Amino acid sequence: GTGSEDVMTTIENEGFRKEFNRTAMYGKGTYFSNSALISSKYCKKIGNTQYYAMLACKTYIGVSTVGRQYMRKDELYMNDKVTQYDSLVNDVMRPSIFVINRDYHAIPCFI
């Protein structure tokens, strides 16, 4: 979650950084959702206000595969063993969670 103003400001100025991910339920990377309801579960109040903040982002999803918490490095590559998947998802047919492992594939657009 991007719960503090400091984190939001850092993302706005420097972009996303996958090394901040700690959970990695579907693999290492930065997590996004196409559902505001899912994303809202990771929002925290800003300071002592009644307000929450969420970033609307443009992301490059590309070719995906289902991610898992402890994926071997070779599982991140397509059948040709050369091309890496662009993203990991919770479900290939109906994804709602997307894991982007290249920081430059996500751009914050709106708060």
Side-chain angles (χ1 to χ4, degrees), residues 16 32 55-61 100 104-110:
F16 290 96
F32 298 91
L55 292 170
C57 304
K58 289 186 179 184
T59 57
Y60 175 75
I61 304 303
I100 307 301
Y104 55 89
H105 280 187
I107 300 168
C109 296
F110 303 100

Side-chain angles (χ1 to χ4, degrees), residues 57-77:
C57 304
K58 289 186 179 184
T59 57
Y60 175 75
I61 304 303
V63 180
S64 302
T65 191
V66 174
R68 291 189 331 279
Q69 191 167 18
Y70 299 108
M71 291 184 77
R72 296 185 321 269
K73 190 171 184 171
D74 64 312
E75 293 177 294
L76 300 173
Y77 289 85

